Amino acid sequence: MNYYFAPLEGITGLTYRNLHHKYFGGIHKYYMPFLSPTQNHCLTKKDQRELPPADSVPYTAIPQVLTKSVSDFLWAAECCGDRGYSEVNLNIGCPSGTVVAKGKGAGMLASPDHLENFLSEIFTKCPLEISVKTRLGLNAPNEFPKLLTILNQFPIKELIIHPRVRTEFYKGSVHLDRFAYAIENSPHKICYNGDICTQKDVQFIQERFPQISSVMIGRGLVADPGLLCGGTHRETLHAFHHELFDTYICMFGSRQNAMARMKEIWSMLITLFDCSDSCGKKIRKCTDYDSFCRLTEEAITQLPILREVKPSWLERSIRCEA
Ligand SMILES: Cc1cc2nc3c(=O)[nH]c(=O)nc-3n(C[C@H](O)[C@H](O)[C@H](O)COP(=O)(O)O)c2cc1C
């Protein structure tokens, strides 16, 4: 099985990926949070920083592009090619209101004809391999067969499916029956994404879908960064956390901004520990740098580490969907 780290905008940027690889690893490919090209075809400073030469990191990272414009996609892919990347991932699954309102991300699923024309042009003109990350549809899972028929026409390197529709965001149950439909009705290499948080979840997906050779995990890996390398050990987590926080402070030039980033991570990481809700709440509410350092230090060095995370963001485990 190949394991991919899902792109998480605001979390799995270059710094996070570098340090995750350094301290944990076990990942075949890290998918980068989306690059959203603008019409002036100019990479911002942040875009440039977040898209380093492919061979400057000791792991495989795949850039992701979020756009509905063929010329913007081709320009962004060219930037990726210039930096040595051979694969670019197209995001047609982002459910965010502002993204969908502009017809991008999952908004692309609203007009299958436009999607077909868009794919036809990019697959004709783009010299890089293209993988696609999608959902089942915009409003209802029964939109999926038509979308899959369109996706089946193109030489997609790998089709990553998050089996929910846009209106479900990341809530409720994943539609595993629709994922099974994709496997049965597509010639593509298909990757499963959604709600995997534990080794048992990975095993469950492997057993339920023996045809697939890759799974993509996001929040579950932020919660348990050692999930795929034998577990998250206290000393390793301590060193990882320390270097991550320090690097963010340098990078953002502000303790407050670094704390805001760390709080995003802690909203998931806290579920690795056996503690009451109030521990997570204290970290979330904390505004003072010294108190934040003390609280997070105490959590990492003293709280019991669970063998399996108890994800607060899921109503129920994926294993209940059988
Ligand atoms: C905070 C956050 C940021 C995300 N950013 C991206 C993104 O940049 N590109 C993308 O394709 N998906 C993005 N996603 C979706 C994830 O890649 C993934 O599909 C989703 O979290 C479900 O997988 P999981 O249950 O393993 O986390 C984001 C999700 C979250 C929660």
Side-chain angles (χ1 to χ4, degrees):
M1 185 62 83
N2 285 327
Y3 298 108
Y4 303 155
F5 208 136
L8 298 171
E9 223 287 304
I11 298 179
T12 61
L14 178 63
T15 300
Y16 187 94
R17 296 193 299 274
N18 286 347
L19 296 176
H20 182 272
H21 174 78
K22 175 175 169 181
Y23 288 100
F24 300 101
I27 306 293
H28 294 91
K29 292 183 185 180
Y30 289 83
Y31 281 78
M32 303 183 195
F34 63 76
L35 169 74
S36 186
T38 48
Q39 285 168 348
N40 61 9
H41 291 182
C42 210
L43 286 178
T44 63
K45 281 224 166 71
K46 180 187 170 222
D47 291 341
Q48 292 182 32
R49 188 184 67 220
E50 289 294 326
L51 191 67
D55 61 5
S56 67
V57 293
Y59 54 83
T60 303
I62 309 296
Q64 184 186 65
V65 177
L66 175 87
T67 184
K68 63 172 181 184
S69 149
V70 169
S71 64
D72 293 355
F73 180 89
L74 293 172
W75 171 77
E78 193 183 321
C79 292
C80 297
D82 290 346
R83 284 163 176 73
Y85 295 93
S86 59
E87 174 186 342
V88 63
N89 180 258
L90 171 69
N91 178 332
I92 54 170
C94 179
S96 144
T98 46
V99 168
V100 171
K102 290 181 196 147
K104 302 186 212 174
M108 296 277 277
L109 307 177
S111 20
D113 291 346
H114 173 260
L115 178 66
E116 187 169 356
N117 292 336
F118 176 87
L119 293 174
S120 175
E121 278 206 65
I122 64 167
F123 275 97
T124 309
K125 295 176 181 163
C126 180
L128 273 61
E129 293 186 296
I130 303 171
S131 56
V132 173
K133 184 164 179 281
T134 189
R135 285 178 176 254
L136 301 176
L138 192 68
N139 297 306
N142 64 11
E143 295 165 26
F144 189 57
K146 182 167 184 189
L147 292 168
L148 189 64
T149 306
I150 292 169
L151 293 165
N152 283 349
Q153 294 168 36
F154 303 97
I156 294 174
K157 181 177 167 65
E158 191 159 4
L159 181 62
I160 302 158
I161 302 177
H162 178 73
R164 286 189 173 97
V165 295
R166 182 261 162 170
T167 44
E168 293 168 321
F169 287 82
Y170 301 107
K171 295 266 178 252
S173 302
V174 283
H175 302 279
L176 294 183
D177 54 335
R178 297 288 172 168
F179 186 78
Y181 175 90
I183 294 176
E184 283 155 23
N185 293 280
S186 176
H188 296 316
K189 187 175 170 199
I190 293 181
C191 169
Y192 175 84
N193 165 247
D195 299 2
I196 294 179
C197 294
T198 66
Q199 275 296 344
K200 283 187 193 141
D201 295 339
V202 173
Q203 208 178 330
F204 167 75
I205 290 293
Q206 258 170 340
E207 283 166 11
R208 173 103 188 241
F209 305 111
Q211 306 93 326
I212 63 166
S213 55
S214 48
V215 292
M216 172 181 269
I217 310 175
R219 296 165 295 176
L221 267 168
V222 177
D224 187 359
L227 174 65
L228 301 171
C229 64
T232 302
H233 303 295
R234 203 181 287 284
E235 296 72 27
T236 318
L237 181 63
H238 191 252
F240 167 72
H241 184 272
H242 197 269
E243 191 169 348
L244 192 62
F245 195 14
D246 270 2
T247 312
Y248 285 147
I249 292 172
C250 289
M251 192 170 123
F252 297 137
S254 144
R255 286 174 167 181
Q256 286 302 319
N257 291 352
M259 269 163 60
R261 174 65 58 101
M262 293 306 291
K263 284 183 187 179
E264 292 289 328
I265 293 166
W266 270 100
S267 69
M268 299 170 203
L269 187 57
I270 195 71
T271 63
L272 179 66
F273 298 99
D274 190 4
C275 62
S276 65
D277 289 347
S278 68
C279 289
K281 197 171 169 190
K282 275 187 199 152
I283 292 176
R284 199 168 64 240
K285 298 260 171 196
C286 179
T287 51
D288 170 66
Y289 172 77
D290 290 329
S291 311
F292 185 80
C293 291
R294 183 179 46 76
L295 285 170
T296 54
E297 177 78 12
E298 272 172 19
I300 293 175
T301 56
Q302 291 171 28
L303 290 176
I305 292 183
L306 295 167
R307 285 153 75 95
E308 289 192 342
V309 298
K310 290 222 171 72
S312 50
W313 57 89
L314 291 184
E315 281 152 39
R316 53 188 188 153
S317 154
I318 188 181
R319 280 172 275 142
C320 302
E321 309 308 323

